[in-house]
Amino acid sequence: MQKLRCHCCGKELPAGTLKYVLELKSFADFDGYLEEYEGNIEEGINYLLETIDGLDEKSLEAEVSREMAYILCKPCCDRFMNDPFQTGKPPVRSDDVKGTVH
Ligand SMILES: [Zn+2]
């Protein structure tokens, strides 16, 4: 059986070790604002449909939402949850940024 390792630091995580599953989900946010389209609307729609046609289902799905999961050791999980992008800024509560989603 393949040994389980922390996705971040690579430390081995033998059976019985405290480990964390980090689930990441990103999705396209919609703020309710539609840019006014200048030009022939029918042409615009046709262009949009052609663009969508050119994308396979997976690519299209990835444009809208993505989900991933990682196994982390406790120190890596703590570090991520406190400052995921290592910006030195305090973490933001999800309710504070999802105000644009209806
Ligand atoms: Zn780790």
Side-chain angles (χ1 to χ4, degrees):
M1 205 179 96
Q2 203 182 356
K3 283 182 179 150
L4 204 56
R5 289 181 179 276
C6 170
H7 267 98
C8 183
C9 69
K11 190 170 80 182
E12 254 182 58
L13 298 167
T17 313
L18 188 59
K19 49 191 166 291
Y20 293 84
V21 177
L22 175 72
E23 289 185 325
L24 282 183
K25 180 176 181 179
S26 73
F27 52 93
D29 197 5
F30 177 57
D31 58 7
Y33 179 77
L34 286 175
E35 214 173 318
E36 206 170 312
Y37 185 76
E38 285 175 34
N40 186 319
I41 291 190
E42 201 172 320
E43 273 175 27
I45 290 174
N46 283 338
Y47 174 74
L48 185 67
L49 289 176
E50 275 169 29
T51 308
I52 290 173
D53 260 358
L55 293 169
D56 59 87
E57 202 176 315
K58 280 260 178 269
S59 312
L60 197 58
E61 212 175 277
E63 291 288 320
V64 181
S65 97
R66 257 182 280 193
E67 280 186 63
M68 283 172 262
Y70 302 94
I71 305 278
L72 297 175
C73 68
K74 182 167 171 32
C76 288
C77 185
D78 287 348
R79 204 172 50 235
F80 183 87
M81 293 309 284
N82 288 329
D83 190 358
F85 306 111
Q86 302 296 304
T87 59
K89 293 176 193 160
V92 185
R93 283 168 14 113
S94 68
D95 288 349
D96 294 341
V97 290
K98 282 204 281 192
T100 58
V101 177
H102 299 281

